Amino acid sequence: MRVSVIGCGYLGAVHAAAMASLGHEVVGIDVDERKVAALREGRAPFYEPSLPELLTEAGAGGHLTFSTDIADAHGADVHFVCVGTPQMTGEFRADLSYVDASVGSLAPYLRPGDVVAGKSTVPVGTAERLAEQLAPTGAVLVWNPEFLREGFAVQDTLHPDRLVYGLPTDDDGEPTAEGRKARDVLDEVYATPLGEGTPLVVTDYATAQLVKVAANSFLATKISFINAMAELCEATGADVTRLADAIGYDARIGRRFLNAGLGFGGGCLPKDIRAFMARAGELGVSDALGFLREVDSVNMRRRVRVVDLAREVCDGSIVGRRVAVLGAAFKPDSDDVRDSPALSVAAQMQLQGAHVTVTDPQAIENARAKWPDLHFATTAVEAAQGADVVLLATEWQEYRELDPDALASAVAHKRILDGRNVLDPARWRAAGWTYRALGRP
Ligand code: UDX
């Protein structure tokens, strides 16, 4: 199939490379010239394991090209819309300007029967509006949400848990003839994952749009649930990691996404739950999502709690204290610092008068661009030089494996805060460290 991918960020660049690796002829389009130049050279503009290999492979085979000119999308059978929908400044709503701009600029190049597949995370109702807008072109809109996780994006795109098609439906809720044709086209695009037995859910626009935000809301709720339990553990001397293990053995609950700590961040979960609440308000059902406000609050309280812990171990004040923060990315195996709990805590401590040095295996440049006033170091040992307290904020493998004795020679005081509950308290205490964590005695 001939495929165009509009928007080459975390989602689009991976989707373009993955579609080419499935054997399609792909053109990736982005307005950012630097991004396109990098992608053309087979360089990923952000850190994502296995993406560089996929780009080089597909680029060398001539199946993958990149362009800044939307006219180059002309002639593709399917156009995937993969642009961002960030949170509006000062509001909970999603900013749809990139979606509107990309669909608007694509429209003149569409042919009747072309499929436009929306992948961006949008407030429910957007697909219906875009379908109307595209009607005069004769192209068919399908909503095909994406569930990839950063760090596993290639794997998640090539071998997804499920595929969802939101098709145009008639008054009886059945797919229209155009919708059925569009389904056949998507089936051909995804022939390989479908052939591997990937479950396919075919539904209407509204359900398809809701699936994505419902999934992310559930994940956020699961994390905030265990972080609320961590607050209870802190008040009672219980251990949240053992609690999570014990409840996680119940197959109905499951242990995944029950890691208590600094909570969720990134370019999806925080803004998606907020945009969902805003949309529920517009639809007159804000009570239905009242709990998400609490999910957000629990999540933000963890960041405050860790600053309090730092103050506690530093005898009541962090003013003028040296703090080493291990991790800046919102999670390991990513260089993404959007709404990163690690970086937000680092910045907060710096604002409260501490001297904060941050390190991260991949995200230092992005972190520096966002918070230039912080200090940066390339390794954990370098960051920990003269530290009064060390905070593990993002659980990169190399921080999980840190040797307490090796770090001891660098610091001024052997105090460690385990913001992700990944260190062995007994080992650190045996090496003479004061060990504190979130939700653990
Ligand atoms: C998420 C969804 O998982 C994905 O399906 C969707 O398409 C986009 O949003 P991502 O943002 O890449 O993906 O990160 P994810 O792995 O879900 O982690 C989100 C945040 O939750 C991270 O900050 C992570 O550190 C945190 N987290 C995750 C926890 O605090 N505890 C956990 O147990 C799991």
Side-chain angles (χ1 to χ4, degrees):
M1 303 290 283
R2 282 168 306 167
V3 169
S4 87
V5 175
I6 322 293
C8 292
Y10 286 95
L11 165 58
V14 175
H15 193 68
M19 290 302 105
S21 85
L22 291 178
H24 305 301
E25 290 292 326
V26 182
V27 57
I29 302 201
D30 201 289
V31 290
D32 184 337
E33 283 178 16
R34 279 207 324 214
K35 206 179 270 179
V36 166
L39 288 164
R40 275 184 181 149
E41 288 167 19
R43 282 187 292 115
F46 46 83
Y47 177 76
E48 183 63 45
S50 343
L51 180 58
E53 293 80 358
L54 207 62
L55 283 171
T56 320
E57 219 173 273
H63 299 299
L64 180 60
T65 53
F66 290 95
S67 169
T68 50
D69 187 357
I70 191 81
D72 290 331
H74 181 72
D77 306 294
V78 188
H79 308 268
F80 286 102
V81 177
C82 295
V83 294
T85 52
Q87 186 176 341
M88 289 271 235
T89 314
E91 286 183 57
F92 271 18
R93 274 189 307 140
D95 177 355
L96 292 178
S97 56
Y98 302 107
V99 171
D100 288 334
S102 60
V103 171
S105 63
L106 176 65
Y109 301 101
L110 293 171
R111 302 163 306 172
D114 279 3
V115 175
V116 176
K119 285 199 133 346
S120 308
T121 304
V122 293
V124 57
T126 306
E128 291 79 348
R129 178 171 63 75
L130 295 176
E132 247 174 63
Q133 190 182 328
L134 288 175
T137 68
V140 191
L141 182 79
V142 173
W143 213 259
N144 175 221
E146 181 57 57
F147 305 95
L148 62 81
R149 297 160 297 167
E150 288 179 27
F152 299 91
V154 170
Q155 151 90 10
D156 285 351
T157 307
L158 290 174
H159 310 284
D161 290 338
R162 75 295 211 185
L163 285 162
V164 176
Y165 303 168
L167 303 180
T169 43
D170 59 24
D171 292 343
D172 298 326
E174 293 301 320
T176 59
E178 277 183 327
R180 288 197 299 274
K181 263 194 234 156
R183 178 199 165 145
D184 291 342
V185 172
L186 280 192
D187 280 350
E188 207 170 322
V189 169
Y190 292 123
T192 308
L194 288 172
E196 288 170 357
T198 303
L200 168 64
V201 179
V202 179
T203 182
D204 51 78
Y205 284 156
T207 309
Q209 294 164 92
L210 282 173
V211 168
K212 174 61 191 268
V213 277
N216 277 356
S217 297
F218 191 87
L219 294 172
T221 303
K222 205 168 173 191
I223 299 168
S224 277
F225 172 82
I226 201 65
N227 281 331
M229 293 306 111
E231 292 188 23
L232 267 295
C233 289
E234 282 153 15
T236 55
D239 183 337
V240 74
T241 62
R242 304 302 293 147
L243 175 78
D245 291 342
I247 63 172
Y249 282 122
D250 184 330
R252 293 170 302 176
I253 296 173
R255 180 65 177 80
R256 293 175 75 190
F257 268 70
L258 279 186
N259 295 320
L262 266 176
F264 60 82
C268 292
L269 261 45
K271 66 109 176 152
D272 285 354
I273 63 167
R274 292 175 193 150
F276 199 16
M277 284 187 266
R279 186 66 186 130
E282 289 166 5
L283 293 166
V285 286
S286 52
D287 285 354
L289 298 187
F291 71 97
L292 286 181
R293 203 170 287 277
E294 213 41 58
V295 165
D296 204 3
S297 306
V298 170
N299 195 50
M300 299 315 276
R301 278 207 295 275
R302 293 288 78 190
R303 303 181 186 187
V304 177
R305 168 70 183 158
V306 99
V307 178
D308 287 345
L309 266 184
R311 214 184 330 272
E312 224 174 287
V313 298
C314 288
D315 308 319
S317 172
I318 54 169
V319 177
R321 301 303 175 101
R322 299 184 87 90
V323 182
V325 176
L326 311 184
F330 83 103
K331 69 173 191 180
D333 297 312
S334 171
D335 64 355
D336 194 348
V337 299
R338 286 176 295 172
D339 210 337
S340 164
L343 203 51
S344 137
V345 166
Q348 199 41 245
M349 291 200 281
Q350 174 97 353
L351 289 171
Q352 293 187 24
H355 179 283
V356 180
T357 305
V358 178
T359 185
D360 190 284
Q362 293 294 339
I364 292 178
E365 286 322 309
N366 286 344
R368 199 197 303 274
K370 202 150 201 175
W371 288 98
D373 290 345
L374 289 166
H375 306 271
F376 293 94
T378 42
T379 65
V381 171
E382 200 188 306
Q385 285 305 323
D388 294 294
V389 57
V390 177
L391 164 65
L392 191 160
T394 311
E395 68 279 30
W396 286 90
Q397 194 59 32
E398 63 183 80
Y399 303 152
R400 289 167 172 263
E401 289 167 358
L402 272 176
D403 176 2
D405 292 321
L407 206 61
S409 51
V411 298
H413 290 100
K414 292 198 273 182
R415 299 166 178 148
I416 181 106
L417 305 180
D418 184 358
R420 293 289 176 182
N421 287 321
V422 289
L423 301 175
D424 176 1
R427 182 166 174 232
W428 285 76
R429 285 183 179 131
W433 288 74
T434 299
Y435 170 95
R436 298 293 301 272
L438 295 167
R440 267 172 140 180

PDB file of all heavy atoms in Angstrom, residues 146-150 212 216 219 223 257-259 263-265 268-269 330-331 420, ligand 1:
ATOM      1  N   GLU A 146      -3.886   4.880  18.673  1.00  0.00           N
ATOM      2  CA  GLU A 146      -2.590   4.241  18.854  1.00  0.00           C
ATOM      3  C   GLU A 146      -2.326   4.095  20.350  1.00  0.00           C
ATOM      4  O   GLU A 146      -2.643   4.989  21.118  1.00  0.00           O
ATOM      5  CB  GLU A 146      -1.537   5.165  18.215  1.00  0.00           C
ATOM      6  CG  GLU A 146      -0.137   4.664  18.279  1.00  0.00           C
ATOM      7  CD  GLU A 146       0.001   3.302  17.634  1.00  0.00           C
ATOM      8  OE1 GLU A 146      -0.349   3.158  16.458  1.00  0.00           O
ATOM      9  OE2 GLU A 146       0.436   2.376  18.335  1.00  0.00           O
ATOM     10  N   PHE A 147      -1.738   2.972  20.740  1.00  0.00           N
ATOM     11  CA  PHE A 147      -1.541   2.729  22.182  1.00  0.00           C
ATOM     12  C   PHE A 147      -0.075   2.540  22.536  1.00  0.00           C
ATOM     13  O   PHE A 147       0.244   1.966  23.574  1.00  0.00           O
ATOM     14  CB  PHE A 147      -2.337   1.487  22.610  1.00  0.00           C
ATOM     15  CG  PHE A 147      -3.796   1.578  22.270  1.00  0.00           C
ATOM     16  CD1 PHE A 147      -4.294   1.020  21.100  1.00  0.00           C
ATOM     17  CD2 PHE A 147      -4.673   2.262  23.102  1.00  0.00           C
ATOM     18  CE1 PHE A 147      -5.643   1.116  20.777  1.00  0.00           C
ATOM     19  CE2 PHE A 147      -6.024   2.371  22.777  1.00  0.00           C
ATOM     20  CZ  PHE A 147      -6.509   1.791  21.614  1.00  0.00           C
ATOM     21  N   LEU A 148       0.824   3.000  21.655  1.00  0.00           N
ATOM     22  CA  LEU A 148       2.244   2.677  21.901  1.00  0.00           C
ATOM     23  C   LEU A 148       2.781   3.360  23.151  1.00  0.00           C
ATOM     24  O   LEU A 148       2.371   4.463  23.512  1.00  0.00           O
ATOM     25  CB  LEU A 148       3.109   3.023  20.689  1.00  0.00           C
ATOM     26  CG  LEU A 148       3.212   4.464  20.208  1.00  0.00           C
ATOM     27  CD1 LEU A 148       4.200   5.274  21.018  1.00  0.00           C
ATOM     28  CD2 LEU A 148       3.632   4.463  18.750  1.00  0.00           C
ATOM     29  N   ARG A 149       3.692   2.629  23.804  1.00  0.00           N
ATOM     30  CA  ARG A 149       4.397   3.180  24.961  1.00  0.00           C
ATOM     31  C   ARG A 149       5.767   3.640  24.495  1.00  0.00           C
ATOM     32  O   ARG A 149       6.421   2.926  23.731  1.00  0.00           O
ATOM     33  CB  ARG A 149       4.609   2.100  26.026  1.00  0.00           C
ATOM     34  CG  ARG A 149       3.370   1.522  26.620  1.00  0.00           C
ATOM     35  CD  ARG A 149       3.675   0.182  27.263  1.00  0.00           C
ATOM     36  NE  ARG A 149       4.130  -0.788  26.269  1.00  0.00           N
ATOM     37  CZ  ARG A 149       4.707  -1.956  26.550  1.00  0.00           C
ATOM     38  NH1 ARG A 149       4.947  -2.302  27.797  1.00  0.00           N
ATOM     39  NH2 ARG A 149       5.082  -2.786  25.592  1.00  0.00           N
ATOM     40  N   GLU A 150       6.224   4.787  24.956  1.00  0.00           N
ATOM     41  CA  GLU A 150       7.587   5.193  24.644  1.00  0.00           C
ATOM     42  C   GLU A 150       8.532   4.158  25.240  1.00  0.00           C
ATOM     43  O   GLU A 150       8.252   3.579  26.284  1.00  0.00           O
ATOM     44  CB  GLU A 150       7.858   6.594  25.195  1.00  0.00           C
ATOM     45  CG  GLU A 150       7.118   7.638  24.381  1.00  0.00           C
ATOM     46  CD  GLU A 150       7.319   9.044  24.896  1.00  0.00           C
ATOM     47  OE1 GLU A 150       8.357   9.330  25.507  1.00  0.00           O
ATOM     48  OE2 GLU A 150       6.407   9.854  24.694  1.00  0.00           O
ATOM     49  N   LYS A 212      -9.203   5.150  23.598  1.00  0.00           N
ATOM     50  CA  LYS A 212      -7.864   5.615  23.932  1.00  0.00           C
ATOM     51  C   LYS A 212      -7.818   6.344  25.277  1.00  0.00           C
ATOM     52  O   LYS A 212      -6.993   6.047  26.139  1.00  0.00           O
ATOM     53  CB  LYS A 212      -7.359   6.527  22.802  1.00  0.00           C
ATOM     54  CG  LYS A 212      -6.029   7.198  23.061  1.00  0.00           C
ATOM     55  CD  LYS A 212      -4.928   6.173  23.262  1.00  0.00           C
ATOM     56  CE  LYS A 212      -3.664   6.804  23.782  1.00  0.00           C
ATOM     57  NZ  LYS A 212      -2.744   7.201  22.765  1.00  0.00           N
ATOM     58  N   ASN A 216      -6.037   5.146  28.895  1.00  0.00           N
ATOM     59  CA  ASN A 216      -5.060   5.946  29.627  1.00  0.00           C
ATOM     60  C   ASN A 216      -5.588   6.369  31.000  1.00  0.00           C
ATOM     61  O   ASN A 216      -4.832   6.443  31.968  1.00  0.00           O
ATOM     62  CB  ASN A 216      -4.638   7.162  28.798  1.00  0.00           C
ATOM     63  CG  ASN A 216      -3.553   6.793  27.796  1.00  0.00           C
ATOM     64  OD1 ASN A 216      -3.071   5.660  27.777  1.00  0.00           O
ATOM     65  ND2 ASN A 216      -3.164   7.736  26.962  1.00  0.00           N
ATOM     66  N   LEU A 219      -5.141   3.390  33.328  1.00  0.00           N
ATOM     67  CA  LEU A 219      -3.738   3.218  33.740  1.00  0.00           C
ATOM     68  C   LEU A 219      -3.354   4.272  34.785  1.00  0.00           C
ATOM     69  O   LEU A 219      -2.711   3.959  35.798  1.00  0.00           O
ATOM     70  CB  LEU A 219      -2.807   3.320  32.520  1.00  0.00           C
ATOM     71  CG  LEU A 219      -2.973   2.197  31.483  1.00  0.00           C
ATOM     72  CD1 LEU A 219      -2.147   2.492  30.232  1.00  0.00           C
ATOM     73  CD2 LEU A 219      -2.560   0.847  32.084  1.00  0.00           C
ATOM     74  N   ILE A 223      -2.198   3.636  38.795  1.00  0.00           N
ATOM     75  CA  ILE A 223      -0.980   4.182  39.418  1.00  0.00           C
ATOM     76  C   ILE A 223      -1.346   5.042  40.628  1.00  0.00           C
ATOM     77  O   ILE A 223      -0.736   4.932  41.698  1.00  0.00           O
ATOM     78  CB  ILE A 223      -0.153   5.002  38.402  1.00  0.00           C
ATOM     79  CG1 ILE A 223       0.286   4.120  37.224  1.00  0.00           C
ATOM     80  CG2 ILE A 223       1.063   5.631  39.070  1.00  0.00           C
ATOM     81  CD1 ILE A 223       0.859   4.887  36.050  1.00  0.00           C
ATOM     82  N   PHE A 257       1.614  -1.939  36.491  1.00  0.00           N
ATOM     83  CA  PHE A 257       1.131  -0.583  36.757  1.00  0.00           C
ATOM     84  C   PHE A 257       0.702  -0.385  38.204  1.00  0.00           C
ATOM     85  O   PHE A 257      -0.140   0.450  38.518  1.00  0.00           O
ATOM     86  CB  PHE A 257       0.012  -0.177  35.773  1.00  0.00           C
ATOM     87  CG  PHE A 257       0.586   0.519  34.571  1.00  0.00           C
ATOM     88  CD1 PHE A 257       1.336  -0.195  33.643  1.00  0.00           C
ATOM     89  CD2 PHE A 257       0.455   1.887  34.402  1.00  0.00           C
ATOM     90  CE1 PHE A 257       1.925   0.440  32.566  1.00  0.00           C
ATOM     91  CE2 PHE A 257       1.045   2.535  33.327  1.00  0.00           C
ATOM     92  CZ  PHE A 257       1.773   1.807  32.411  1.00  0.00           C
ATOM     93  N   LEU A 258       1.315  -1.168  39.100  1.00  0.00           N
ATOM     94  CA  LEU A 258       1.094  -0.960  40.535  1.00  0.00           C
ATOM     95  C   LEU A 258       2.409  -0.591  41.208  1.00  0.00           C
ATOM     96  O   LEU A 258       2.616  -0.931  42.370  1.00  0.00           O
ATOM     97  CB  LEU A 258       0.519  -2.227  41.172  1.00  0.00           C
ATOM     98  CG  LEU A 258      -0.993  -2.467  41.027  1.00  0.00           C
ATOM     99  CD1 LEU A 258      -1.415  -3.677  41.838  1.00  0.00           C
ATOM    100  CD2 LEU A 258      -1.807  -1.243  41.475  1.00  0.00           C
ATOM    101  N   ASN A 259       3.302   0.071  40.468  1.00  0.00           N
ATOM    102  CA  ASN A 259       4.553   0.497  41.094  1.00  0.00           C
ATOM    103  C   ASN A 259       4.370   1.884  41.686  1.00  0.00           C
ATOM    104  O   ASN A 259       4.211   2.868  40.961  1.00  0.00           O
ATOM    105  CB  ASN A 259       5.695   0.479  40.082  1.00  0.00           C
ATOM    106  CG  ASN A 259       5.980  -0.933  39.612  1.00  0.00           C
ATOM    107  OD1 ASN A 259       5.959  -1.879  40.410  1.00  0.00           O
ATOM    108  ND2 ASN A 259       6.219  -1.099  38.325  1.00  0.00           N
ATOM    109  N   GLY A 263       5.063   8.669  40.610  1.00  0.00           N
ATOM    110  CA  GLY A 263       3.836   8.826  39.830  1.00  0.00           C
ATOM    111  C   GLY A 263       4.055   8.989  38.340  1.00  0.00           C
ATOM    112  O   GLY A 263       5.169   8.902  37.860  1.00  0.00           O
ATOM    113  N   PHE A 264       2.945   9.230  37.650  1.00  0.00           N
ATOM    114  CA  PHE A 264       3.014   9.259  36.187  1.00  0.00           C
ATOM    115  C   PHE A 264       3.277  10.649  35.643  1.00  0.00           C
ATOM    116  O   PHE A 264       2.929  11.658  36.248  1.00  0.00           O
ATOM    117  CB  PHE A 264       1.739   8.667  35.571  1.00  0.00           C
ATOM    118  CG  PHE A 264       0.456   9.381  35.947  1.00  0.00           C
ATOM    119  CD1 PHE A 264       0.066  10.531  35.283  1.00  0.00           C
ATOM    120  CD2 PHE A 264      -0.355   8.879  36.960  1.00  0.00           C
ATOM    121  CE1 PHE A 264      -1.124  11.172  35.605  1.00  0.00           C
ATOM    122  CE2 PHE A 264      -1.550   9.513  37.292  1.00  0.00           C
ATOM    123  CZ  PHE A 264      -1.933  10.663  36.625  1.00  0.00           C
ATOM    124  N   GLY A 265       3.941  10.656  34.475  1.00  0.00           N
ATOM    125  CA  GLY A 265       4.189  11.901  33.755  1.00  0.00           C
ATOM    126  C   GLY A 265       4.163  11.580  32.275  1.00  0.00           C
ATOM    127  O   GLY A 265       3.541  10.606  31.864  1.00  0.00           O
ATOM    128  N   CYS A 268       1.449  11.890  27.585  1.00  0.00           N
ATOM    129  CA  CYS A 268       0.106  11.316  27.376  1.00  0.00           C
ATOM    130  C   CYS A 268      -0.765  11.313  28.627  1.00  0.00           C
ATOM    131  O   CYS A 268      -1.753  12.036  28.693  1.00  0.00           O
ATOM    132  CB  CYS A 268       0.229   9.895  26.837  1.00  0.00           C
ATOM    133  SG  CYS A 268       0.882   9.867  25.171  1.00  0.00           S
ATOM    134  N   LEU A 269      -0.407  10.475  29.606  1.00  0.00           N
ATOM    135  CA  LEU A 269      -1.309  10.263  30.737  1.00  0.00           C
ATOM    136  C   LEU A 269      -1.791  11.570  31.391  1.00  0.00           C
ATOM    137  O   LEU A 269      -3.010  11.765  31.535  1.00  0.00           O
ATOM    138  CB  LEU A 269      -0.647   9.332  31.777  1.00  0.00           C
ATOM    139  CG  LEU A 269      -1.059   7.857  31.742  1.00  0.00           C
ATOM    140  CD1 LEU A 269      -1.092   7.282  30.333  1.00  0.00           C
ATOM    141  CD2 LEU A 269      -0.165   7.001  32.628  1.00  0.00           C
ATOM    142  N   PHE A 330      10.741  11.216  31.898  1.00  0.00           N
ATOM    143  CA  PHE A 330       9.532  10.877  32.669  1.00  0.00           C
ATOM    144  C   PHE A 330       9.483   9.400  32.997  1.00  0.00           C
ATOM    145  O   PHE A 330       8.747   8.984  33.892  1.00  0.00           O
ATOM    146  CB  PHE A 330       8.267  11.330  31.943  1.00  0.00           C
ATOM    147  CG  PHE A 330       7.756  10.394  30.876  1.00  0.00           C
ATOM    148  CD1 PHE A 330       6.664   9.584  31.113  1.00  0.00           C
ATOM    149  CD2 PHE A 330       8.356  10.337  29.630  1.00  0.00           C
ATOM    150  CE1 PHE A 330       6.172   8.721  30.133  1.00  0.00           C
ATOM    151  CE2 PHE A 330       7.879   9.481  28.643  1.00  0.00           C
ATOM    152  CZ  PHE A 330       6.793   8.664  28.897  1.00  0.00           C
ATOM    153  N   LYS A 331      10.280   8.604  32.263  1.00  0.00           N
ATOM    154  CA  LYS A 331      10.394   7.184  32.587  1.00  0.00           C
ATOM    155  C   LYS A 331      11.667   6.670  31.929  1.00  0.00           C
ATOM    156  O   LYS A 331      12.221   7.345  31.051  1.00  0.00           O
ATOM    157  CB  LYS A 331       9.161   6.416  32.104  1.00  0.00           C
ATOM    158  CG  LYS A 331       9.036   6.299  30.600  1.00  0.00           C
ATOM    159  CD  LYS A 331       7.886   5.378  30.270  1.00  0.00           C
ATOM    160  CE  LYS A 331       7.902   5.018  28.798  1.00  0.00           C
ATOM    161  NZ  LYS A 331       6.816   4.142  28.421  1.00  0.00           N
ATOM    162  N   ARG A 420      11.378   5.657  43.253  1.00  0.00           N
ATOM    163  CA  ARG A 420      10.675   4.673  42.416  1.00  0.00           C
ATOM    164  C   ARG A 420      10.610   3.291  43.066  1.00  0.00           C
ATOM    165  O   ARG A 420      10.226   2.315  42.409  1.00  0.00           O
ATOM    166  CB  ARG A 420      11.350   4.577  41.043  1.00  0.00           C
ATOM    167  CG  ARG A 420      11.201   5.847  40.200  1.00  0.00           C
ATOM    168  CD  ARG A 420       9.778   6.030  39.712  1.00  0.00           C
ATOM    169  NE  ARG A 420       9.574   7.287  38.984  1.00  0.00           N
ATOM    170  CZ  ARG A 420       8.390   7.649  38.505  1.00  0.00           C
ATOM    171  NH1 ARG A 420       7.328   6.899  38.684  1.00  0.00           N
ATOM    172  NH2 ARG A 420       8.249   8.780  37.879  1.00  0.00           N
TER     173      ARG A 420
HETATM  174  C1  UDX B   1       1.173   5.711  27.927  1.00  0.00           C
HETATM  175  C2  UDX B   1       0.315   4.447  27.692  1.00  0.00           C
HETATM  176  O1  UDX B   1       0.887   3.345  28.388  1.00  0.00           O
HETATM  177  C3  UDX B   1       0.238   4.149  26.216  1.00  0.00           C
HETATM  178  O2  UDX B   1      -0.596   3.033  25.974  1.00  0.00           O
HETATM  179  C4  UDX B   1      -0.314   5.376  25.507  1.00  0.00           C
HETATM  180  O3  UDX B   1      -0.371   5.159  24.107  1.00  0.00           O
HETATM  181  C5  UDX B   1       0.530   6.599  25.806  1.00  0.00           C
HETATM  182  O4  UDX B   1       0.622   6.792  27.198  1.00  0.00           O
HETATM  183  P1  UDX B   1       3.782   6.230  27.992  1.00  0.00           P
HETATM  184  O5  UDX B   1       3.425   7.657  28.236  1.00  0.00           O
HETATM  185  O6  UDX B   1       4.859   5.922  27.009  1.00  0.00           O
HETATM  186  O7  UDX B   1       2.493   5.406  27.504  1.00  0.00           O
HETATM  187  O8  UDX B   1       4.228   5.640  29.396  1.00  0.00           O
HETATM  188  P2  UDX B   1       3.820   4.486  30.403  1.00  0.00           P
HETATM  189  O9  UDX B   1       4.758   3.360  30.283  1.00  0.00           O
HETATM  190  O10 UDX B   1       2.378   4.179  30.327  1.00  0.00           O
HETATM  191  O11 UDX B   1       4.140   5.216  31.788  1.00  0.00           O
HETATM  192  C6  UDX B   1       3.459   6.421  32.135  1.00  0.00           C
HETATM  193  C7  UDX B   1       3.970   6.983  33.422  1.00  0.00           C
HETATM  194  O12 UDX B   1       3.510   6.203  34.516  1.00  0.00           O
HETATM  195  C8  UDX B   1       5.489   7.054  33.573  1.00  0.00           C
HETATM  196  O13 UDX B   1       5.825   8.310  34.135  1.00  0.00           O
HETATM  197  C9  UDX B   1       5.811   5.919  34.519  1.00  0.00           C
HETATM  198  O14 UDX B   1       6.972   6.169  35.259  1.00  0.00           O
HETATM  199  C10 UDX B   1       4.567   5.906  35.389  1.00  0.00           C
HETATM  200  N1  UDX B   1       4.290   4.610  36.034  1.00  0.00           N
HETATM  201  C11 UDX B   1       4.021   3.521  35.266  1.00  0.00           C
HETATM  202  C12 UDX B   1       4.263   4.505  37.414  1.00  0.00           C
HETATM  203  O15 UDX B   1       4.477   5.482  38.132  1.00  0.00           O
HETATM  204  N2  UDX B   1       3.970   3.298  37.982  1.00  0.00           N
HETATM  205  C13 UDX B   1       3.701   2.192  37.252  1.00  0.00           C
HETATM  206  O16 UDX B   1       3.448   1.134  37.857  1.00  0.00           O
HETATM  207  C14 UDX B   1       3.730   2.300  35.847  1.00  0.00           C
END
